[in-house]
């Protein structure tokens, strides 16, 4: 049976913006199609499970500090898993920790995994509000992604790292260059929560299909009744536009 | 007339005008005006309250706690209160404007506004109930609020009492120079089998070690201790034991206080209301002059505050108003609802205006799954009606009886028209205001500023 294995990194620590909603959506959209689904929690000290998709969410500063060493220590294993075909989705704080470091407002520094060439430095104000972006994770398949952002960090991408998308309404990575998130190979990072996947079913399906590809080759996903998802997406898009 | 008195008169006139022009209840505007004219107005007016004042803050339950405390103290004490959730500085100032003859202030204060208000009021007692994750887009993180509260409590005058919830690790860790009264629950039968998902404070506020819970009662509230630094729940001065839930009708428990014990049948359901009752009782102990029999009586005669399990009759149907503003509060409502096995209709009205919190991701931290199979029909409404319906769909609630209404009024009518049994009307803050406005137009409830 076709099945998807998702590893949820630090679900006890990094869950500030209802990150479990993202996992719930992946689970439901697999099960509705008869695709097996397993979410495996991975906390500090646990061995890194074999998975098709690694998910990491965001936490309060204190919670992120508690897992900093553990996550940084996993960088090589995560890199190996991604090179082996796994995908990674990182949201908010998890996105910042994809980079080299996060520098706080008082100059305090939190290390990241360096899986993606990016750095984040806190600004004087938080960038908060509804956000919408245009993205093209798969060439030729443009998507609009909607949600909410709430971050003090200003993220700058290294040369050669593409943003996940272009901001239509909202702040994005740093409020200046119009980019939001990062997309590097099989790694996707974004500030967009809400949670990210429920209102963006096309993005959820794209990640499911790509991650399934690691062990099951090309999988065609049956369409689902996404009327409510579509209405929620469109309403959020209109609200973001003001 | 002194210059200050003239400003007070002008601000009072603004209250009348605001009410007559239907701009609202006049619950904040006069205070805003007064504070603009006289920035020290709160300090000056509070000096007239011979008994000083009590401030109450918490993420959840401050309105109910303040109302309960009033029920314990009135009519023996003449209170000055901000009654309508107008709980910023302007609301307190507005309340003080209309407090002729009052001798004690009882103010519920917004968590973020508390340090500023407390500095101005120099309260004789500060009652702190709980800190849950709520509207992060507005308040920032929990730790930041706890840190601001600690700076505030540390600076309280020596004669000022701190009344704190011992079961909440963040609140229990607050300290003050004066006396402290700690309240909580102490009853094995009331404990949950495991820690709920939406628990917000699992880590020791002092050393970051994962807390160990002997018992968890609600969210992260319980009998906690830290294996890392040895901190633990402080000894309780006021507590409830022998809890006996009476479904949606309330909870029976034994109230233990330094003044003696009493059996209480609280007419509000849910453990969170037991916490509110304990906070109010502990505050009444701090104020003094009330014996324990009188406290029990006050609690037993209590009416629900705005939208907190308020029962109504709409036409020929029973309805219950439920204010849901954050995951911890909403989870308790859902858990209580799931104990009612009768067929029922549900309206969930989700708005995302500033007072609701613009970020609606919290609905995914609410265990709506518990309602699967418990409701006949579900209607959603509000600015995020479709999103709410989608959340319920992923939770397996409603199935093909899930409807999205175009407005809150239409949603109310759809919910009232469907199925049988009571209609539960669950809404976020502004959705609840809108719902109440609709009901008021139909003669069902009084406008909120008239309800005391």
């Amino acid at each position: 049976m076709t099945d998807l294995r998702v590893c949820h990194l630090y679900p006890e620590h990094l869950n500030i913006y209802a990150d479990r909603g993202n996992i719930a959506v992946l689970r439901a959209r697999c099960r509705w199609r008869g695709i097996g689904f397993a979410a495996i929690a991975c906390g500090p000290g646990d061995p890194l499970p074999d998975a098709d998709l690694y998910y990491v969410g965001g936490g309060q500063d204190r919670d992120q500090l508690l897992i900093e060493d553990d996550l940084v220590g996993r960088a090589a294993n995560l890199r190996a898993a991604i090179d082996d075909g796994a995908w990674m989705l990182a949201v908010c704080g998890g996105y910042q920790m994809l980079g080299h470091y996060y520098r706080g407002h008082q100059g305090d520094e939190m290390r990241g995994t360096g899986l993606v060439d990016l750095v984040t430095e806190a600004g004087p104000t938080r960038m908060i509000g509804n956000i919408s972006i245009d993205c093209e994770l798969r060439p030729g398949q443009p998507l609009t992604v909607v949600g909410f952002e709430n971050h003090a960090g200003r993220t700058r991408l290294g040369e050669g790292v593409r943003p996940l998308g272009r901001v239509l309404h909202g702040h994005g990575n740093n409020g200046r260059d119009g980019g939001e998130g990062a997309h590097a190979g099989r790694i996707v990072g974004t500030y967009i929560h809400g949670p990210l996947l429920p209102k963006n079913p096309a993005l959820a399906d794209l990640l499911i299909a790509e991650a399934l590809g690691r062990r099951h080759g090309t999988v065609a996903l049956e369409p689902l009744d996404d009327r409510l998802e579509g209405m929620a997406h469109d309403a959020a898009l209109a609200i973001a536009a003001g | 007339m002194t210059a200050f008195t003239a400003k007070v008169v002008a601000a009072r006139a603004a209250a009348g005008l605001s009410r007559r022009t239907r701009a609202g209840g006049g619950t904040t505007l006069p205070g805003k005006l007064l504070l603009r004219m006289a920035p020290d107005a709160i300090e000056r007016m509070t000096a007239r309250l011979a008994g000083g004042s009590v401030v109450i803050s918490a993420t959840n339950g401050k309105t109910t706690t303040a109302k309960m405390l009033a029920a314990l103290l009135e009519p023996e004490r003449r209170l000055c209160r901000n009654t309508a959730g107008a709980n910023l500085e302007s609301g307190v100032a507005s309340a003080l404007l209309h407090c002729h003859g009052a001798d004690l202030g009882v103010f519920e204060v917004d968590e973020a506004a508390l340090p500023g208000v407390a500095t101005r009021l120099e309260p004789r007692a500060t009652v702190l109930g709980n800190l849950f994750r709520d509207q992060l887009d507005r308040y920032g993180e929990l730790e930041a609020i706890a840190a601001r509260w600690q700076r505030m409590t540390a600076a309280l005058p020596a004669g000022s009492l701190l009344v704190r919830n011992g079961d909440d690790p963040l609140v229990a860790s607050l300290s003050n120079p004066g006396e402290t009264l700690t309240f909580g629950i102490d009853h094995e039968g009331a404990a949950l089998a495991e820690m709920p998902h939406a628990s917000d404070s699992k880590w020791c506020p002092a050393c970051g070690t994962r807390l160990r819970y002997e018992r968890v009662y609600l969210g992260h509230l319980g009998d906690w201790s830290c294996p890392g630094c040895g901190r633990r729940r402080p000894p309780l001065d006021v507590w409830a034991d022998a809890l006996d839930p009476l479904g949606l009708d309330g909870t029976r428990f034994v109230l233990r206080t330094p003044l003696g014990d009493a059996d209480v049948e609280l007419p509000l359901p849910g453990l969170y209301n037991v916490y509110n009752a304990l906070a109010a009782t502990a505050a009444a102990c701090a104020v003094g002059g009330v014996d324990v029999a009188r406290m029990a009586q006050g609690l037993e005669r209590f009416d629900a505050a705005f939208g907190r399990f308020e029962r109504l009759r709409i036409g020929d149907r029973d309805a219950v108003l439920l204010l849901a503003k954050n995951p911890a509060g909403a989870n308790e409502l859902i858990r209580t609802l799931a104990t009612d096995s009768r067929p029922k209709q549900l309206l969930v009205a989700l708005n995302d205006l500033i007072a609701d919190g613009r970020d609606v991701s919290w609905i995914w931290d609410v265990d709506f799954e518990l309602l699967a199979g418990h409701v006949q029909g579900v209607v959603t409404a509000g600015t995020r009606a479709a999103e709410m319906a989608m959340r319920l769909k992923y939770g397996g609630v409603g199935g093909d009886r899930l409807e999205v209404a175009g407005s809150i009024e239409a949603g109310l009518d759809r919910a009232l028209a469907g199925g049988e049994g009571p209609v539960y009307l669950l809404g976020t803050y502004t959705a609840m205001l809108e719902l109440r406005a609709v009901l008021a137009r139909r003669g069902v409830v009084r406008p909120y500023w008239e309800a005391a």
Side-chain angles (χ1 to χ4, degrees):
Chain A
M1 178 177 158
T2 310
D3 69 306
L4 183 70
R5 277 208 295 271
V6 174
C7 168
H8 189 175
L9 287 158
Y10 314 111
E12 298 273 336
H13 293 77
L14 306 183
N15 59 9
I16 192 169
Y17 298 121
D19 291 278
R20 71 169 180 167
N22 288 321
I23 305 295
V25 163
L26 293 172
R27 175 184 294 115
R29 298 184 74 81
C30 283
R31 293 213 171 137
W32 288 336
R33 293 171 164 125
I35 297 172
F37 181 88
I40 309 143
C42 178
D46 295 344
L48 188 71
D50 176 63
D52 309 309
L53 173 65
Y54 291 86
Y55 177 81
V56 57
Q60 307 200 33
D61 290 351
R62 147 162 275 158
D63 297 333
Q64 290 187 198
L65 282 168
L66 288 172
I67 56 89
E68 176 187 1
D69 289 344
D70 191 87
L71 178 62
V72 171
R74 293 182 191 277
N77 284 344
L78 283 167
R79 168 50 68 198
I82 290 156
D83 288 345
D84 178 50
W87 277 68
M88 183 162 184
L89 173 62
V91 176
C92 303
Y95 166 43
Q96 293 171 342
M97 289 190 287
L98 286 179
H100 301 295
Y101 64 80
Y102 175 90
R103 187 168 296 147
H105 210 41
Q106 275 101 40
D108 43 314
E109 199 168 291
M110 203 185 308
R111 288 163 302 146
T113 55
L115 289 168
V116 180
D117 182 20
L118 60 86
V119 297
T120 305
E121 293 177 3
T125 54
R126 291 188 80 84
M127 301 198 278
I128 302 177
N130 288 288
I131 177 168
S132 55
I133 65 170
D134 261 341
C135 70
E136 204 171 299
L137 204 55
R138 242 187 217 160
Q141 289 185 23
L143 292 178
T144 305
V145 173
V146 294
F148 203 88
E149 62 180 328
N150 184 351
H151 51 105
R154 272 66 169 164
T155 297
R156 284 178 291 120
L157 307 181
E159 298 265 336
V161 177
R162 289 191 306 140
L164 172 64
R166 309 301 307 171
V167 174
L168 295 173
H169 295 280
H171 304 281
N173 280 338
N174 46 50
R176 283 214 297 270
D177 65 18
E180 200 293 316
H183 175 206
R186 283 184 284 272
I187 303 177
V188 174
T190 178
Y191 276 116
I192 301 182
H193 66 266
L196 173 70
L197 297 178
K199 285 191 292 281
N200 297 295
L203 178 62
D205 283 354
L206 195 153
L207 288 167
I208 291 171
E210 292 289 350
L212 283 173
R214 183 177 80 112
R215 290 180 298 122
H216 302 287
T218 305
V219 178
L221 297 180
E222 287 168 40
L224 298 171
D225 175 357
D226 280 335
R227 278 173 296 177
L228 284 178
E229 287 81 349
M231 283 167 69
H233 177 98
D234 293 348
L237 193 62
I239 289 169
Chain B
M1 191 185 276
T2 64
F4 182 66
T5 311
K7 289 167 185 170
V8 168
V9 169
R12 268 193 204 126
L17 188 66
S18 147
R19 210 170 285 142
R20 279 194 299 279
T21 55
R22 295 175 169 268
T27 52
T28 60
L29 177 70
K32 267 186 203 154
L33 266 178
L34 180 64
L35 287 171
R36 194 167 303 157
M37 295 186 290
D40 62 346
I42 290 182
E43 290 90 325
R44 296 178 68 150
M45 291 190 296
T46 197
R48 299 173 192 173
L49 296 169
S53 52
V54 178
V55 293
I56 297 165
S57 195
T59 311
N60 288 324
K62 49 190 174 287
T63 303
T64 303
T65 301
K67 214 177 160 193
M68 281 180 173
L69 179 58
L72 302 189
L73 298 176
E74 285 173 333
E76 289 82 354
R77 303 298 294 256
R78 283 156 306 168
L79 303 182
C80 172
R81 295 171 53 205
N82 54 337
T83 50
N87 57 19
L88 304 176
E89 277 190 358
S90 53
V92 172
S94 295
L96 283 164
L97 275 172
H98 296 279
C99 277
H100 277 307
D103 67 339
L104 181 70
V106 171
F107 302 113
E108 60 148 295
V109 181
D110 175 90
E111 306 89 277
L114 178 67
V117 173
T119 308
R120 286 166 170 240
L121 285 177
E122 294 205 342
R124 69 186 281 175
T126 302
V127 183
L128 302 178
N130 53 63
L131 277 175
F132 286 101
R133 211 155 28 152
D134 180 20
Q135 303 183 17
L136 290 159
D137 54 315
R138 196 173 84 183
Y139 290 154
E141 298 181 349
L142 218 52
E143 307 284 342
I145 296 176
R148 292 184 61 210
W149 277 18
Q150 176 55 51
R151 284 196 293 278
M152 182 263 307
T153 56
L156 285 171
S160 178
L161 255 119
L162 175 63
V163 178
R164 62 183 181 179
N165 186 344
D167 288 351
D168 185 328
L170 278 175
V171 175
S173 302
L174 300 171
S175 57
N176 62 316
E179 275 184 67
T180 302
L181 266 176
T182 305
F183 65 88
I185 290 177
D186 197 23
H187 180 57
E188 191 173 355
L192 300 171
E194 57 181 309
M195 191 119 186
H197 166 79
S199 296
D200 296 329
S201 181
K202 287 176 279 207
W203 319 103
C204 176
C207 73
T209 307
R210 192 192 180 94
L211 293 172
R212 184 184 296 149
Y213 279 84
E214 195 67 32
R215 292 168 193 158
V216 178
Y217 298 117
L218 189 172
H220 62 272
L221 309 187
D223 186 357
W224 55 276
S225 62
C226 174
C229 66
R231 280 170 189 252
R232 53 175 48 248
R233 179 175 76 163
L236 303 177
D237 302 299
V238 172
W239 73 96
D241 65 21
L243 281 85
D244 180 14
L246 308 171
L248 290 179
D249 294 325
T251 307
R252 199 180 290 141
F253 61 91
V254 178
L255 173 68
R256 313 272 183 193
T257 80
L259 306 173
D261 303 341
D263 291 324
V264 174
E265 199 171 307
L266 185 70
L268 294 180
L271 274 188
Y272 48 100
N273 280 315
V274 175
Y275 276 110
N276 294 333
L278 291 168
T281 309
C285 291
V287 169
V290 189
D291 66 32
V292 72
R294 174 74 183 77
M295 288 182 194
Q297 193 187 54
L299 292 175
E300 293 193 345
R301 288 183 187 161
F302 187 73
D303 279 336
F306 171 73
R308 276 80 166 179
F309 267 96
E310 211 174 341
R311 287 146 197 271
L312 307 168
R313 187 89 182 152
I314 307 176
D316 58 355
R317 295 196 79 153
D318 288 322
V320 183
L321 291 180
L322 307 164
L323 175 67
K325 44 172 209 151
N326 52 38
N331 270 325
E332 283 307 301
L333 297 177
I334 298 295
R335 190 158 358 132
T336 308
L337 266 189
T339 63
D340 179 5
S341 57
R342 290 175 293 174
K344 50 186 168 296
Q345 291 289 120
L346 180 64
L347 169 71
V348 188
L350 175 64
N351 275 357
D352 68 348
L353 308 184
I354 286 166
D356 305 293
R358 303 229 56 193
D359 184 355
V360 295
S361 51
W362 63 273
I363 61 175
W364 289 86
D365 274 330
V366 178
D367 295 322
F368 286 105
E369 284 76 4
L370 290 175
L371 293 179
H374 277 279
V375 286
Q376 278 202 320
V378 186
V379 186
T380 67
T383 53
R384 296 278 189 163
E387 188 150 358
M388 190 62 235
M390 178 183 72
R391 167 69 189 98
L392 293 169
K393 170 184 157 181
Y394 280 88
V397 183
D400 48 9
R401 298 232 182 128
L402 194 52
E403 266 186 73
V404 180
S407 70
I408 286 178
E409 180 153 20
L412 173 69
D413 285 332
R414 291 300 305 155
L416 289 171
E420 49 176 322
V423 184
Y424 288 94
L425 306 170
L426 190 97
T428 55
Y429 188 76
T430 68
M432 189 58 73
L433 287 177
E434 202 178 324
L435 201 50
R436 291 185 64 112
V438 171
L439 293 169
R441 276 205 302 279
R442 297 181 182 185
V444 179
V445 287
R446 290 174 294 169
Y448 70 95
W449 56 88
E450 290 175 12

